[in-house]
């Protein structure tokens, strides 16, 4: 039995950076909290709590209430309103917003200065998208979140009435969905100003896992079940390799399903630290 890890797998630059920033903060401050779970990975969140005493809070005021002297903003970023609330707290704020997300915020802000509406191709309820929308509003424009053709159809008449429309994307959006939405807008006679702000980390992991999935008998995706990019990775792989499992830890592996597999592919979402991938590889190598 051979375990083959996809060429690009696991924690991206932004996630690694946020983990570094939070652990560095624990060496300087007595009580460090994160605004929301730092990443969508329950094992890592538990490790931060147990090893470093880092807990997550739901609001800036909760950080003060629990006696924190440092609050960390996670890689998704926050809204301008929350940034202002954090500044007013009088405690240290460590901004772990991924530089790629900062780039989307800036691109949306610039478009919003001249466009009636800025479309954000992404999920309206995603924290990154909420933050980006706040930058659009602050520049005097109106954000419209669209994540599918259906949602585009629902907003099409209103968009066609606008003089100028800008488009940006949530960093983790699929290129195909983004391009299809932009193409549909153009086919309907619109001439949007488009800034493709998709981060390559997600598509690189998807392409590498997809490629590997053609050549293995079984596939294991490692990462939080609450991580949408990890779940999406499992869905992509499962199309080519029906014997696919999505696990958070070695004890979740279904060994019965692997008994006839000669080669097992392995990949992990952008929120899965390298150590968790290595733990699964070691476990497979010593138990199969
Ligand atoms: Fe940043 Fe891209 Fe990761 S936006 S958090 S490097 S998926």
């Amino acid at each position: 039995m051979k375990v083959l890890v996809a060429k690009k797998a696991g924690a991206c630059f932004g996630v690694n950076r946020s983990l570094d920033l939070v652990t560095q903060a624990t060496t300087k401050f007595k009580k460090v909290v994160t605004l929301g779970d730092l990443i969508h990975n329950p094992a890592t969140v538990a490790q931060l709590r147990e090893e470093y005493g880092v807990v997550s809070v739901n609001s800036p005021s909760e950080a003060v209430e629990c006696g924190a002297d440092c609050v960390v903003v996670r890689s998704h970023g926050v809204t301008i309103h929350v940034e202002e609330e954090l500044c007013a707290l009088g405690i240290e704020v460590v901004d772990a917003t991924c530089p790629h997300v900062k780039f989307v915020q800036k691109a949306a802000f610039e478009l919003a200065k001249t466009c009636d509406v800025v479309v954000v191709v992404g999920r309206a309820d995603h924290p990154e998208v909420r933050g980006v929308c706040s930058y659009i509003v602050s520049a005097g424009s109106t954000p419209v979140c669209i994540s599918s053709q259906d949602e585009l159809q629902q907003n099409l008449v209103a968009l066609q009435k606008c003089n100028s429309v800008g488009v940006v994307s949530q960093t983790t959006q699929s290129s195909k969905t983004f391009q299809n939405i932009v193409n549909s807008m153009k086919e309907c006679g619109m001439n949007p100003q488009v800034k493709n702000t998709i981060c390559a980390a997600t598509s690189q992991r998807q392409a590498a896992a997809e490629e590997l999935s053609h050549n293995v008998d079984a596939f294991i995706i490692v990462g939080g079940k609450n991580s949408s990019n990890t779940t999406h990775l499992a869905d992509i792989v499962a199309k080519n390799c029906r014997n696919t499992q999505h696990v958070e830890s070695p004890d979740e592996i279904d060994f019965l399903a692997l008994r006839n597999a000669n080669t097992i592919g392995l990949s992990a979402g952008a929120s899965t630290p390298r150590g968790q991938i290595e733990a699964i590889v070691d476990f497979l190598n010593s138990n199969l």
Side-chain angles (χ1 to χ4, degrees), residues 113-143:
K113 285 183 190 167
T114 56
C115 295
D116 297 342
V117 162
V118 179
V119 171
V120 182
V121 181
R123 280 189 11 232
D125 61 343
H126 192 283
E128 176 192 322
V129 173
R130 284 204 293 266
V132 170
C133 289
S134 76
Y135 277 80
I136 295 166
V137 172
S138 78
S141 185
T142 304

Side-chain angles (χ1 to χ4, degrees), residues 216-221 237-246 254-261 263-265:
V216 293
D217 305 312
F219 215 108
I220 294 182
I221 297 290
V237 164
K239 282 186 188 145
N240 300 321
C241 179
R242 291 178 68 184
N243 192 357
T244 292
Q245 304 180 35
H246 175 178
D254 176 1
F255 278 98
L256 211 57
L258 301 178
R259 68 190 184 285
N260 296 323
T263 50
I264 299 172

Side-chain angles (χ1 to χ4, degrees), residues 12-15 75 98 100-101 171-172 199 201-202 270:
C12 60
F13 157 75
V15 163
S75 58
C98 176
H100 291 291
V101 174
T171 53
T172 49
C199 166
T202 306

Side-chain angles (χ1 to χ4, degrees), residues 18-34 38 43-56 69-70:
S18 70
L19 287 166
D20 288 346
L21 286 171
V22 81
T23 47
Q24 278 165 22
T26 60
T27 65
K28 295 185 200 147
F29 300 95
K30 285 200 186 83
K31 186 162 178 68
V32 177
V33 297
T34 60
L38 189 68
T44 304
V45 170
Q47 190 186 8
L48 285 172
R49 187 175 56 242
E50 282 150 26
E51 281 184 32
Y52 300 97
V54 175
V55 293
S56 74
D69 56 352
C70 174

